[in-house]
Amino acid sequence: MDTPQTSAEDSAGRAEVVLGIGTDEWVARHNERLIVDSGPLARLKDTASKIPNLVRWLLVLLIAVAVPLGTSNPYIMRVGVNLGLFILLSYGLNIVVGYAGLLDLGYAAFYGFGAYAYALVSSDQLGHHWKTYISVPIIVVATALLGFLVSLPSRRLMGDYLAIVTLFFGQVFVQVVLSSDSITFPWATDSIDITGGSNGIPALDPFVLFGHKFLNAKDYYWLLLAIIVILTLTITRINRTRIGRAWRTIREDSLAAQAMGISINRLKFMAFIVGAALAGLAGTILSAVQGAVFVNGFDLPLLTLVYAAIILGGSGSLPGAVMGAIVMSLLPEFLRVPSYSEILFFVVLILVIGAMRRSIKSFAITLLGIFVTGIIVRGIFLSLSVKSLPRDEWATGVIGRFLSHWLFVPNNRLLWGNASFVLLIALIAYLTQASPTIKRILLPVAAFLGIFLWEVRLIQQPSTTRQLIIGTMLIVLMVTKPQGFLGKARVEVL
Amino acid sequence: MAMLELEKVRISFGALTTLDDLTLHVNKGEIVSVIGPNGAGKTTLFNVITGVYRPDSGSITLDGQNLVGKDPAKVTRSGVARTFQNVRLFLNMSVIENVMAATFGHTHAGLFSSALGLPRSRREEADVREQAEELLRFFGTRLTGYRWEEPAYSLSYANRRRLEIARALATKPKVLLLDEPAAGMNPKETHEITEVVERLRSEKGLTILIIEHDMHVVEGVSDRVVALDHGVKIAEGDFDSVATHPAVIEAYLGRKAAETK
Ligand SMILES: Nc1ncnc2c1ncn2[C@@H]1O[C@H](COP(=O)(O)OP(=O)(O)OP(=O)(O)O)[C@@H](O)[C@H]1O
Ligand SMILES: [Mg+2]
């Protein structure tokens, strides 16, 4: 009798303070009611999110300007140029996919088209040496036109059709380039080599702009930086105004967009064409900076990386595109050095555990659990008298030396490494289904297996490891932050 | 003088004839209600007028100008705007952007003039914002103030319906089609909608075709009522005569009786 009364009073009392559920004010304040992350990581995130956008842009720009002033190291400048090209590609794809919501799977081919077109008019291949300020604008327009032609067959530009047509186009492009090294025209006797087939086209002219001949990567870096600054300003402006708004309405609800007088087909073409043009521009710069062009690099792997970049950063967000491009183009470089990749592996591992164990206490318990698991496993190995690998044969990096007092690394790395790999996959598969209690108990075991696998096997194979790390990062991100780092969570139906 | 005129409009989906030689007109400045049981073809009527579906036969004209065969965007630009029965806002865009986006048809800024921020496009942008603010203010305190920069999904259901009307108005229509504007609203909000519809005519000079199930709203706003059943017009006239028409009563009660069986 007593209990219901109290609770009735309770809710009546609360109703005066709290707004009624479903009223306008209540709905409008929905953000305040979202569960707020706690913990040191979340606090850091919170502080970072308070920095205004302009300041962030300026900060990035400052670094981008400072690097070439501080160093002329050709390797660093090459990495910088790659990053710039990547950002350019991400910007273009971001318009197509992020704003207009069109699945363009032939994007890499537009990049390749720009690159080859530049090569053909700037080398002895066909004997043309056009001036840069003529060739580049013409190629950009031509790529835009090609984009228009490719999107034409799927006139209504519906998701799946467009994806298939563009994917097909991308593959055709590669095949055409590969087989255009001996084309016979009916009126000619000899066959002509246009694209150089798998050998590519060498000895391309560098850019010459404003009487300045581009001699090294640094020159292209400055050019790219200027282009990116201009594009950032203009794309931001477009996004905020009439055309950009219309693009976003298509992504939101294309039927409603049409009902509001928005000609969605024209806008889709426009997005597609702008995206292609940017890819074409990037292609010309790639050719010029490389001084040669080859067909590999305009295929699915590149497409995957650019898509990963914009999804990682948050589709539809320009800062996200930059950030995604930074991660996707710098990370593989960074991971080339084994000791760096080791550090990154452990950072990611700790972040994953941190994401799963929010409070400091349970985090510490998990670490302890990993430690204990290691001791137990060492005991098992010793009692089975498995031969161990001498410490100085595997503990190379800083972390390795630190771990070597605790981790048992068996002599037969191949066998035990593969075994732990299979075990880890099985364990993770099981854990996704398991109850929270079991998860809590087995998480340290899984983490230990990860460390074991890393030190025993993966560290020996940097290239596989690189892909594994990037893949894992994407999966973790997909689970914890589906909208990407800088994207806003989208609401579909409410 | 007829502003919107449908002549023997017919559309079928497979074996089902949803609109059966429907003839209907709405005079300039008139408010006409369409009633009828569920599945009568009311929403289909809107879809056919706005070009979502193309009628199998018949003609549709707006102010003497043919609408059949135009795509939805073109229909809207010739002066017909609509709201949706199941509210279709651009949820992840801000409230004011929803309205601003709908000015697309009568604004001009292109890709390059926007990108370069040319004076002309800047002026147009400022103008569009002003128009949008004014349209939002049309709903008085309900839609004013702090919520304009919030995403549309943060609005309550009633406000989403209001925003949808504001968005439709931004296309500068001559004829406004409202599909159940009071659905899901409480009695007070329903009453407000009645006033809003009346003001849309008196202040904006609109011609209005409205689908509504709430008989208080229908009675309150209509100059004329059209009753549909199975895509056929079964009654037409002022509210009292239609509401008491035997065919209308049968359409509603017969359907109910059939459902309870
Ligand atoms: N695209 C379509 N394909 C097949 N059938 C359709 C289609 N659109 C409408 N119909 C059918 O037409 C009939 C009329 O539907 P409509 O939505 O116009 O009814 P309504 O009068 O608006 O009903 P309600 O009051 O429930 O909104 C229904 O039987 C519906 O199933
Ligand atoms: Mg309906």
Side-chain angles (χ1 to χ4, degrees), chain A residues 22-25 27-31 233-235 237-264 266-267 270 274 488-494, chain B residues 52 71-73 76-77 80-82 84 88-93 97 100-105 107-111 114-117 122 124-125 128 142 146-147 150 153-156 158-160 162 167-168 171:
Chain A
T23 64
D24 294 347
E25 285 71 18
V27 180
R29 288 201 199 156
H30 72 116
N31 271 330
L233 293 173
T234 51
I235 295 175
R237 214 181 246 148
I238 290 171
N239 185 32
R240 273 205 312 255
T241 51
R242 180 170 176 261
I243 302 289
R245 266 196 306 265
W247 274 337
R248 284 177 287 134
T249 66
I250 299 175
R251 190 186 61 181
E252 290 296 314
D253 184 334
S254 59
L255 178 64
Q258 279 181 291
M260 293 308 121
I262 294 167
S263 8
I264 63 171
R266 262 190 51 207
L267 281 156
M270 212 190 265
V274 172
K488 278 208 199 91
R490 288 170 50 75
V491 174
E492 293 299 344
V493 186
L494 215 72
Chain B
V52 175
D71 70 38
T76 303
R77 274 183 270 169
V80 181
R82 73 177 290 182
F84 293 89
R88 302 183 73 142
L89 288 171
F90 309 126
L91 286 179
N92 295 286
M93 293 167 66
E97 271 191 316
M100 290 167 80
T103 63
F104 187 88
T107 46
H108 307 283
L111 198 60
S114 299
L116 300 176
R122 277 171 191 252
E124 187 182 88
E125 183 69 13
V128 162
R142 284 298 196 176
Y146 69 103
R147 261 169 264 158
E150 297 271 315
Y153 65 71
S154 69
L155 291 183
S156 70
N159 263 344
R160 288 184 194 187
R162 293 184 190 107
R167 186 180 68 169
T171 66

Side-chain angles (χ1 to χ4, degrees), chain B residues 42-43 85 179-180 211:
Chain B
K42 305 182 296 294
T43 299
Q85 183 172 354
D179 199 342
E180 303 197 15
I211 297 173

Side-chain angles (χ1 to χ4, degrees), chain A residues 147-194:
Chain A
F148 177 69
L149 290 179
V150 169
S151 58
L152 215 49
S154 51
R155 219 182 62 76
R156 305 190 57 194
L157 297 179
M158 302 295 285
D160 304 346
Y161 288 113
L162 185 70
I164 300 275
V165 169
T166 52
L167 184 65
F168 182 70
F169 165 71
Q171 293 309 300
V172 166
F173 172 79
V174 172
Q175 290 313 316
V176 166
V177 167
L178 276 177
S179 56
S180 296
D181 55 348
S182 65
I183 294 197
T184 324
F185 290 104
W187 59 87
T189 42
D190 292 340
S191 66
I192 306 178
D193 176 2
I194 297 180

Side-chain angles (χ1 to χ4, degrees), chain B residues 120-241:
Chain B
R120 193 156 37 90
S121 74
R122 277 171 191 252
R123 235 175 293 130
E124 187 182 88
E125 183 69 13
D127 185 44
V128 162
R129 181 167 287 273
E130 209 166 292
Q131 283 176 34
E133 286 174 358
E134 196 198 311
L135 288 173
L136 288 170
R137 264 187 242 115
F138 182 79
F139 292 89
T141 53
R142 284 298 196 176
L143 261 181
T144 39
Y146 69 103
R147 261 169 264 158
W148 290 0
E149 301 299 335
E150 297 271 315
Y153 65 71
S154 69
L155 291 183
S156 70
Y157 190 73
N159 263 344
R160 288 184 194 187
R161 286 212 174 274
R162 293 184 190 107
L163 178 56
E164 234 200 356
I165 296 177
R167 186 180 68 169
L169 292 177
T171 66
K172 298 203 170 155
K174 299 180 206 158
V175 175
L176 184 62
L177 312 180
L178 300 171
D179 199 342
E180 303 197 15
M185 289 193 173
N186 66 33
K188 184 157 167 273
E189 291 165 336
T190 305
H191 181 70
E192 280 175 17
I193 279 293
T194 312
E195 285 171 358
V196 163
V197 172
E198 190 47 58
R199 281 176 56 220
L200 284 172
R201 167 166 62 182
S202 59
E203 290 175 27
K204 307 266 171 200
L206 285 167
T207 302
I208 298 170
L209 187 61
I210 172 171
I211 297 173
E212 188 48 68
H213 277 301
D214 187 310
M215 285 304 148
H216 295 294
V217 176
V218 176
E219 182 173 16
V221 303
S222 323
D223 296 325
R224 190 148 52 84
V225 178
V226 173
L228 290 188
D229 190 24
H230 296 299
V232 178
K233 183 159 73 182
I234 52 172
E236 180 170 9
D238 61 27
F239 177 79
D240 291 326
S241 73

